[in-house]
mmCIF file of all heavy atoms in Angstrom:
data_model
loop_
_atom_site.group_PDB
_atom_site.id
_atom_site.type_symbol
_atom_site.label_atom_id
_atom_site.label_comp_id
_atom_site.label_asym_id
_atom_site.label_seq_id
_atom_site.Cartn_x
_atom_site.Cartn_y
_atom_site.Cartn_z
ATOM 1 N N TYR Z 1 1.987 -4.926 8.167
ATOM 2 C CA TYR Z 1 1.882 -5.978 7.151
ATOM 3 C C TYR Z 1 1.237 -5.434 5.881
ATOM 4 O O TYR Z 1 1.712 -5.687 4.763
ATOM 5 C CB TYR Z 1 1.062 -7.146 7.693
ATOM 6 C CG TYR Z 1 0.665 -8.146 6.626
ATOM 7 C CD1 TYR Z 1 1.584 -9.076 6.143
ATOM 8 C CD2 TYR Z 1 -0.623 -8.136 6.081
ATOM 9 C CE1 TYR Z 1 1.229 -9.981 5.154
ATOM 10 C CE2 TYR Z 1 -0.983 -9.034 5.089
ATOM 11 C CZ TYR Z 1 -0.062 -9.952 4.625
ATOM 12 O OH TYR Z 1 -0.413 -10.832 3.640
ATOM 13 N N LEU Z 2 0.163 -4.670 6.030
ATOM 14 C CA LEU Z 2 -0.527 -4.119 4.862
ATOM 15 C C LEU Z 2 0.386 -3.194 4.069
ATOM 16 O O LEU Z 2 0.407 -3.222 2.831
ATOM 17 C CB LEU Z 2 -1.787 -3.370 5.300
ATOM 18 C CG LEU Z 2 -2.921 -4.215 5.883
ATOM 19 C CD1 LEU Z 2 -4.056 -3.312 6.372
ATOM 20 C CD2 LEU Z 2 -3.446 -5.209 4.852
ATOM 21 N N ALA Z 3 1.158 -2.360 4.789
ATOM 22 C CA ALA Z 3 2.040 -1.406 4.112
ATOM 23 C C ALA Z 3 3.167 -2.123 3.372
ATOM 24 O O ALA Z 3 3.494 -1.779 2.228
ATOM 25 C CB ALA Z 3 2.610 -0.419 5.131
ATOM 26 N N LEU Z 4 3.767 -3.134 3.998
ATOM 27 C CA LEU Z 4 4.840 -3.874 3.339
ATOM 28 C C LEU Z 4 4.307 -4.645 2.136
ATOM 29 O O LEU Z 4 4.942 -4.698 1.079
ATOM 30 C CB LEU Z 4 5.501 -4.829 4.326
ATOM 31 C CG LEU Z 4 6.380 -4.189 5.405
ATOM 32 C CD1 LEU Z 4 6.789 -5.225 6.446
ATOM 33 C CD2 LEU Z 4 7.620 -3.554 4.788
ATOM 34 N N ARG Z 5 3.140 -5.240 2.291
ATOM 35 C CA ARG Z 5 2.558 -6.004 1.193
ATOM 36 C C ARG Z 5 2.189 -5.108 0.020
ATOM 37 O O ARG Z 5 2.178 -5.552 -1.138
ATOM 38 C CB ARG Z 5 1.315 -6.746 1.685
ATOM 39 C CG ARG Z 5 0.836 -7.834 0.738
ATOM 40 C CD ARG Z 5 -0.409 -8.505 1.246
ATOM 41 N NE ARG Z 5 -1.589 -7.652 1.123
ATOM 42 C CZ ARG Z 5 -2.838 -8.105 1.110
ATOM 43 N NH1 ARG Z 5 -3.070 -9.395 1.245
ATOM 44 N NH2 ARG Z 5 -3.859 -7.281 0.994
ATOM 45 N N ALA Z 6 1.911 -3.833 0.300
ATOM 46 C CA ALA Z 6 1.484 -2.897 -0.749
ATOM 47 C C ALA Z 6 2.649 -2.295 -1.514
ATOM 48 O O ALA Z 6 2.445 -1.559 -2.485
ATOM 49 C CB ALA Z 6 0.643 -1.774 -0.137
ATOM 50 N N MET Z 7 3.880 -2.591 -1.085
ATOM 51 C CA MET Z 7 5.038 -2.041 -1.790
ATOM 52 C C MET Z 7 5.164 -2.672 -3.170
ATOM 53 O O MET Z 7 4.998 -3.875 -3.325
ATOM 54 C CB MET Z 7 6.322 -2.288 -1.010
ATOM 55 C CG MET Z 7 6.471 -1.465 0.244
ATOM 56 S SD MET Z 7 8.068 -1.756 1.015
ATOM 57 C CE MET Z 7 9.166 -1.101 -0.227
ATOM 58 N N PRO Z 8 5.473 -1.886 -4.181
ATOM 59 C CA PRO Z 8 5.695 -2.451 -5.514
ATOM 60 C C PRO Z 8 7.011 -3.216 -5.551
ATOM 61 O O PRO Z 8 7.848 -3.098 -4.650
ATOM 62 C CB PRO Z 8 5.736 -1.215 -6.416
ATOM 63 C CG PRO Z 8 6.189 -0.115 -5.510
ATOM 64 C CD PRO Z 8 5.606 -0.416 -4.163
ATOM 65 N N ASN Z 9 7.216 -3.991 -6.600
ATOM 66 C CA ASN Z 9 8.423 -4.795 -6.703
ATOM 67 C C ASN Z 9 9.698 -3.965 -6.755
ATOM 68 O O ASN Z 9 10.782 -4.454 -6.462
ATOM 69 C CB ASN Z 9 8.351 -5.698 -7.938
ATOM 70 C CG ASN Z 9 7.765 -7.063 -7.593
ATOM 71 O OD1 ASN Z 9 7.618 -7.391 -6.426
ATOM 72 N ND2 ASN Z 9 7.427 -7.835 -8.609
ATOM 73 N N SER Z 10 9.580 -2.734 -7.123
ATOM 74 C CA SER Z 10 10.769 -1.874 -7.203
ATOM 75 C C SER Z 10 11.302 -1.495 -5.834
ATOM 76 O O SER Z 10 12.405 -0.995 -5.699
ATOM 77 C CB SER Z 10 10.444 -0.605 -7.991
ATOM 78 O OG SER Z 10 9.468 0.165 -7.287
ATOM 79 N N HIS Z 11 10.496 -1.740 -4.780
ATOM 80 C CA HIS Z 11 10.875 -1.345 -3.415
ATOM 81 C C HIS Z 11 10.980 0.162 -3.272
ATOM 82 O O HIS Z 11 11.509 0.654 -2.283
ATOM 83 C CB HIS Z 11 12.202 -2.007 -3.008
ATOM 84 C CG HIS Z 11 11.998 -3.045 -1.942
ATOM 85 N ND1 HIS Z 11 12.910 -3.306 -0.970
ATOM 86 C CD2 HIS Z 11 10.970 -3.884 -1.697
ATOM 87 C CE1 HIS Z 11 12.481 -4.262 -0.181
ATOM 88 N NE2 HIS Z 11 11.299 -4.627 -0.613
ATOM 89 N N VAL Z 12 10.522 0.903 -4.245
ATOM 90 C CA VAL Z 12 10.540 2.364 -4.168
ATOM 91 C C VAL Z 12 9.135 2.856 -4.472
ATOM 92 O O VAL Z 12 8.603 2.598 -5.550
ATOM 93 C CB VAL Z 12 11.539 2.979 -5.172
ATOM 94 C CG1 VAL Z 12 11.480 4.495 -5.088
ATOM 95 C CG2 VAL Z 12 12.949 2.475 -4.906
ATOM 96 N N ALA Z 13 8.542 3.533 -3.497
ATOM 97 C CA ALA Z 13 7.172 4.013 -3.705
ATOM 98 C C ALA Z 13 6.891 5.145 -2.741
ATOM 99 O O ALA Z 13 7.437 5.204 -1.637
ATOM 100 C CB ALA Z 13 6.166 2.886 -3.493
ATOM 101 N N GLY Z 14 6.015 6.056 -3.168
ATOM 102 C CA GLY Z 14 5.605 7.136 -2.304
ATOM 103 C C GLY Z 14 4.503 6.685 -1.366
ATOM 104 O O GLY Z 14 3.862 5.648 -1.563
ATOM 105 N N GLU Z 15 4.260 7.490 -0.348
ATOM 106 C CA GLU Z 15 3.236 7.155 0.645
ATOM 107 C C GLU Z 15 1.867 6.998 -0.002
ATOM 108 O O GLU Z 15 1.118 6.067 0.306
ATOM 109 C CB GLU Z 15 3.201 8.246 1.716
ATOM 110 C CG GLU Z 15 2.143 8.026 2.781
ATOM 111 C CD GLU Z 15 2.113 9.153 3.801
ATOM 112 O OE1 GLU Z 15 3.104 9.926 3.877
ATOM 113 O OE2 GLU Z 15 1.105 9.275 4.512
ATOM 114 N N ASP Z 16 1.523 7.921 -0.923
ATOM 115 C CA ASP Z 16 0.210 7.857 -1.578
ATOM 116 C C ASP Z 16 0.060 6.585 -2.406
ATOM 117 O O ASP Z 16 -1.030 5.988 -2.450
ATOM 118 C CB ASP Z 16 0.002 9.084 -2.461
ATOM 119 C CG ASP Z 16 -0.135 10.362 -1.651
ATOM 120 O OD1 ASP Z 16 -0.450 10.248 -0.444
ATOM 121 O OD2 ASP Z 16 0.088 11.456 -2.213
ATOM 122 N N ASP Z 17 1.136 6.159 -3.069
ATOM 123 C CA ASP Z 17 1.074 4.933 -3.865
ATOM 124 C C ASP Z 17 0.826 3.714 -2.971
ATOM 125 O O ASP Z 17 0.038 2.820 -3.317
ATOM 126 C CB ASP Z 17 2.381 4.734 -4.644
ATOM 127 C CG ASP Z 17 2.594 5.818 -5.684
ATOM 128 O OD1 ASP Z 17 1.592 6.320 -6.220
ATOM 129 O OD2 ASP Z 17 3.765 6.163 -5.935
ATOM 130 N N ILE Z 18 1.493 3.683 -1.829
ATOM 131 C CA ILE Z 18 1.315 2.566 -0.907
ATOM 132 C C ILE Z 18 -0.102 2.544 -0.350
ATOM 133 O O ILE Z 18 -0.750 1.492 -0.280
ATOM 134 C CB ILE Z 18 2.354 2.636 0.234
ATOM 135 C CG1 ILE Z 18 3.762 2.411 -0.338
ATOM 136 C CG2 ILE Z 18 2.055 1.621 1.327
ATOM 137 C CD1 ILE Z 18 4.874 2.604 0.662
ATOM 138 N N LEU Z 19 -0.614 3.719 0.020
ATOM 139 C CA LEU Z 19 -1.979 3.795 0.530
ATOM 140 C C LEU Z 19 -2.987 3.348 -0.529
ATOM 141 O O LEU Z 19 -3.962 2.651 -0.224
ATOM 142 C CB LEU Z 19 -2.297 5.218 0.995
ATOM 143 C CG LEU Z 19 -1.586 5.683 2.270
ATOM 144 C CD1 LEU Z 19 -1.857 7.162 2.520
ATOM 145 C CD2 LEU Z 19 -2.060 4.853 3.470
ATOM 146 N N ALA Z 20 -2.746 3.746 -1.760
ATOM 147 C CA ALA Z 20 -3.653 3.351 -2.845
ATOM 148 C C ALA Z 20 -3.657 1.841 -3.029
ATOM 149 O O ALA Z 20 -4.716 1.226 -3.244
ATOM 150 C CB ALA Z 20 -3.251 4.049 -4.143
ATOM 151 N N ASN Z 21 -2.476 1.216 -2.925
ATOM 152 C CA ASN Z 21 -2.398 -0.244 -3.042
ATOM 153 C C ASN Z 21 -3.081 -0.946 -1.875
ATOM 154 O O ASN Z 21 -3.719 -1.993 -2.049
ATOM 155 C CB ASN Z 21 -0.937 -0.688 -3.133
ATOM 156 C CG ASN Z 21 -0.313 -0.365 -4.474
ATOM 157 O OD1 ASN Z 21 -1.015 -0.189 -5.475
ATOM 158 N ND2 ASN Z 21 1.009 -0.278 -4.512
ATOM 159 N N ILE Z 22 -2.948 -0.368 -0.680
ATOM 160 C CA ILE Z 22 -3.612 -0.969 0.486
ATOM 161 C C ILE Z 22 -5.122 -0.955 0.308
ATOM 162 O O ILE Z 22 -5.818 -1.936 0.603
ATOM 163 C CB ILE Z 22 -3.226 -0.214 1.779
ATOM 164 C CG1 ILE Z 22 -1.747 -0.439 2.112
ATOM 165 C CG2 ILE Z 22 -4.100 -0.671 2.957
ATOM 166 C CD1 ILE Z 22 -1.252 0.370 3.300
ATOM 167 N N GLU Z 23 -5.634 0.143 -0.224
ATOM 168 C CA GLU Z 23 -7.085 0.291 -0.336
ATOM 169 C C GLU Z 23 -7.695 -0.621 -1.396
ATOM 170 O O GLU Z 23 -8.916 -0.766 -1.461
ATOM 171 C CB GLU Z 23 -7.446 1.745 -0.606
ATOM 172 C CG GLU Z 23 -7.144 2.656 0.583
ATOM 173 C CD GLU Z 23 -7.928 3.953 0.542
ATOM 174 O OE1 GLU Z 23 -8.506 4.238 -0.518
ATOM 175 O OE2 GLU Z 23 -7.977 4.648 1.574
ATOM 176 N N LYS Z 24 -6.865 -1.258 -2.191
ATOM 177 C CA LYS Z 24 -7.399 -2.229 -3.144
ATOM 178 C C LYS Z 24 -7.985 -3.445 -2.414
ATOM 179 O O LYS Z 24 -8.931 -4.076 -2.885
ATOM 180 C CB LYS Z 24 -6.307 -2.678 -4.110
ATOM 181 C CG LYS Z 24 -5.857 -1.597 -5.077
ATOM 182 C CD LYS Z 24 -4.717 -2.091 -5.961
ATOM 183 C CE LYS Z 24 -4.231 -0.974 -6.902
ATOM 184 N NZ LYS Z 24 -3.076 -1.421 -7.733
ATOM 185 N N SER Z 25 -7.402 -3.792 -1.260
ATOM 186 C CA SER Z 25 -7.920 -4.921 -0.477
ATOM 187 C C SER Z 25 -8.652 -4.468 0.781
ATOM 188 O O SER Z 25 -9.498 -5.192 1.304
ATOM 189 C CB SER Z 25 -6.772 -5.857 -0.080
ATOM 190 O OG SER Z 25 -5.779 -5.160 0.646
ATOM 191 N N VAL Z 26 -8.339 -3.258 1.270
ATOM 192 C CA VAL Z 26 -8.998 -2.726 2.466
ATOM 193 C C VAL Z 26 -9.465 -1.308 2.147
ATOM 194 O O VAL Z 26 -8.766 -0.321 2.424
ATOM 195 C CB VAL Z 26 -8.052 -2.714 3.688
ATOM 196 C CG1 VAL Z 26 -8.801 -2.255 4.937
ATOM 197 C CG2 VAL Z 26 -7.434 -4.088 3.912
ATOM 198 N N PRO Z 27 -10.644 -1.157 1.562
ATOM 199 C CA PRO Z 27 -11.156 0.175 1.213
ATOM 200 C C PRO Z 27 -11.244 1.083 2.445
ATOM 201 O O PRO Z 27 -11.531 0.635 3.552
ATOM 202 C CB PRO Z 27 -12.546 -0.128 0.651
ATOM 203 C CG PRO Z 27 -12.455 -1.530 0.151
ATOM 204 C CD PRO Z 27 -11.540 -2.232 1.103
ATOM 205 N N SER Z 28 -10.944 2.351 2.229
ATOM 206 C CA SER Z 28 -10.991 3.383 3.287
ATOM 207 C C SER Z 28 -9.939 3.163 4.370
ATOM 208 O O SER Z 28 -10.030 3.737 5.461
ATOM 209 C CB SER Z 28 -12.387 3.450 3.931
ATOM 210 O OG SER Z 28 -13.378 3.684 2.962
ATOM 211 N N ALA Z 29 -8.928 2.338 4.091
ATOM 212 C CA ALA Z 29 -7.901 2.081 5.099
ATOM 213 C C ALA Z 29 -7.133 3.345 5.466
ATOM 214 O O ALA Z 29 -6.726 3.530 6.621
ATOM 215 C CB ALA Z 29 -6.924 1.021 4.593
ATOM 216 N N SER Z 30 -6.938 4.235 4.482
ATOM 217 C CA SER Z 30 -6.139 5.435 4.731
ATOM 218 C C SER Z 30 -6.785 6.393 5.726
ATOM 219 O O SER Z 30 -6.144 7.347 6.166
ATOM 220 C CB SER Z 30 -5.851 6.160 3.420
ATOM 221 O OG SER Z 30 -7.056 6.509 2.771
ATOM 222 N N SER Z 31 -8.043 6.128 6.096
ATOM 223 C CA SER Z 31 -8.683 6.981 7.090
ATOM 224 C C SER Z 31 -8.175 6.682 8.499
ATOM 225 O O SER Z 31 -8.428 7.443 9.432
ATOM 226 C CB SER Z 31 -10.212 6.798 7.049
ATOM 227 O OG SER Z 31 -10.564 5.462 7.376
#
């Protein structure tokens, strides 16, 4: 759910971009 919600509207994003978006609401999630 976190990964899908972190996708930008373009539906095209790299793994690092998605992780960065996730960490806006869940800090340190990428660990």
Side-chain angles (χ1 to χ4, degrees):
Y1 168 78
L2 292 175
L4 288 171
R5 195 182 73 159
M7 289 184 65
N9 268 349
S10 64
H11 249 213
V12 178
E15 178 182 343
D16 292 340
D17 295 328
I18 294 174
L19 289 173
N21 287 338
I22 292 175
E23 292 201 347
K24 291 177 182 177
S25 57
V26 184
S28 304
S30 58
S31 62

